[in-house]
Amino acid sequence: IAEKKASVTSDPLPIVNIDSAMISQLLQNVIGNALKFQEKGVAPRIHLSAIRGRNEWIIQVTDNGIGFDMKHADRIFQVFQRLHPVDTYIGAGLGLSICKTIIERHQGRIWVKSERQRGSTFYFAIPDEIKPTKLSQEENRSDALGENQPIELKKVRPNFGT
């Protein structure tokens, strides 16, 4: 953040029912992308806010980055999908797919609104209550990445580490 001379600001954020390590990872990925996908010579501006939805909090992360054409909005959440050549912007195309997995594990939703040269806003909805799910033994055995393991939920306030 300091190296890029970025401004990261936040409105007061709510306390949400989410695994604290996972929300930290999610914010690192989204803010990291906001810092990375920036016009050369432009200081990144990133702002976090929240709005109350019906039975959920919707966290918003808005940036002044390069943005993208909305026809790619679903694709960016897929594993190993990139919109730019690897020699232009480093990365493997994993960050936003990890964010999607985190939010889905918390029975929430994630989406984005973006416009080329005008930046992006990433939204993630976190429900007030997460319903327990029952996994079959077969599902547990096939869970090589630990995606179906129980998550430790705590009421936490998202913190972006500034």
Side-chain angles (χ1 to χ4, degrees), residues 93-113:
L94 289 172
L96 292 175
S97 66
I98 291 170
C99 293
K100 182 178 182 204
T101 299
I102 289 169
I103 290 301
E104 287 176 347
R105 289 204 60 212
H106 289 83
Q107 299 167 9
R109 300 172 290 125
I110 186 169
W111 67 99
V112 64
K113 291 185 180 174

Side-chain angles (χ1 to χ4, degrees), residues 15-131:
I15 295 174
V16 293
N17 197 27
I18 194 166
D19 179 89
S20 60
M22 288 184 184
I23 189 71
S24 293
Q25 180 69 58
L26 183 143
L27 290 173
Q28 285 175 15
N29 290 356
V30 173
I31 292 171
N33 279 356
L35 295 170
K36 182 190 325 183
F37 296 107
Q38 191 66 39
E39 196 70 45
K40 204 170 199 169
V42 175
R45 288 191 326 271
I46 303 159
H47 184 73
L48 284 77
S49 59
I51 56 174
R52 183 73 185 139
R54 186 174 182 200
N55 301 317
E56 65 187 2
W57 279 102
I58 301 170
I59 310 293
Q60 303 172 98
V61 180
T62 302
D63 67 56
N64 67 333
I66 61 172
F68 60 88
D69 190 318
M70 282 298 292
K71 71 181 180 186
H72 302 294
D74 290 332
R75 185 173 149 217
I76 65 169
F77 293 107
Q78 296 173 10
V79 178
F80 301 123
Q81 293 298 307
R82 303 175 42 88
L83 300 183
H84 307 282
V86 75
D87 59 344
T88 306
Y89 295 100
I90 61 167
L94 289 172
L96 292 175
S97 66
I98 291 170
C99 293
K100 182 178 182 204
T101 299
I102 289 169
I103 290 301
E104 287 176 347
R105 289 204 60 212
H106 289 83
Q107 299 167 9
R109 300 172 290 125
I110 186 169
W111 67 99
V112 64
K113 291 185 180 174
S114 187
E115 190 176 335
R116 286 176 170 240
Q117 306 309 315
R118 293 191 167 258
S120 302
T121 300
F122 285 84
Y123 302 87
F124 38 98
I126 303 168
D128 294 336
E129 290 188 37
I130 297 175
K131 297 174 180 79

Side-chain angles (χ1 to χ4, degrees), residues 131-150:
K131 297 174 180 79
T133 58
K134 195 171 189 175
L135 300 173
S136 69
Q137 288 182 339
E138 187 67 32
E139 287 172 311
N140 281 328
R141 278 195 298 273
S142 68
D143 184 21
L145 297 176
E147 292 178 354
N148 291 324
Q149 300 306 311

